[in-house]
Amino acid sequence: MIGGQHVRDVTIFFTLYLLLSLGPFVVLNRDVLSELSETVATNTVAFAVGGTALLAVVSGLFLASEGVDRYNQFLFAPTDFLSIMVEASFIIAAISWWLVPELSMRLETPLATDTTLFVILLCQVPMVLFLSLMTAVGKA
């Protein structure tokens, strides 16, 4: 059974991630978002894929609730070098959604969409590894 603390931990983790990633992305990419919203509104497959992905991520966070709890502790009370690394991995993962395309445009080295997504997903790896390790330690 999922308790109130697990719901709170997942909500804090997910909300903080969205604030760091989605907020700046929306501000920096208003023109892209209008095209994307039209595509999603007219393409039920894109809507279904997006909804399924969101459901999978949130479900995964509930399954990894022990790790999410530990991650939140590291985020809000860094005490040593390891906790700072965990916090940095979270911040890098969140801001990569808008920072990678922005750097690509500012450096005038346009990346292909698949390359941009690959770099963004690569930035997620440290956070996912730390989350997996902290979940394993919490379950052990």
Side-chain angles (χ1 to χ4, degrees), residues 4 39 43 58 82 94 109 130:
T39 301
N43 188 343
V58 173
L82 179 63
T109 55
F130 280 126

Side-chain angles (χ1 to χ4, degrees), residues 25-102:
F25 182 83
V26 168
V27 171
L28 293 170
N29 298 295
R30 290 183 185 151
D31 52 339
V32 174
L33 288 175
S34 63
E35 292 176 27
L36 183 63
S37 64
E38 289 176 18
T39 301
V40 170
T42 59
N43 188 343
T44 56
V45 173
F47 181 75
V49 168
T52 303
L54 181 63
L55 183 62
V57 167
V58 173
S59 299
L61 289 175
F62 278 109
L63 291 173
S65 59
E66 290 89 355
V68 172
D69 176 44
R70 288 174 170 272
Y71 222 108
N72 286 347
Q73 291 172 9
F74 280 123
L75 286 174
F76 294 109
T79 56
D80 56 6
F81 182 70
L82 179 63
S83 61
I84 292 170
M85 282 181 37
V86 169
E87 188 168 0
S89 72
F90 180 84
I91 292 169
I92 289 168
I95 68 172
S96 67
W97 289 101
W98 58 267
L99 187 63
V100 170
E102 193 66 23

Side-chain angles (χ1 to χ4, degrees), residues 16-18 24 28 30 39 43-44 61 64 67 105 117-118 134:
L16 187 58
Y17 186 89
L18 286 178
L28 293 170
R30 290 183 185 151
T39 301
N43 188 343
T44 56
L61 289 175
M105 286 189 300
L117 287 175
F118 177 75
M134 287 189 276

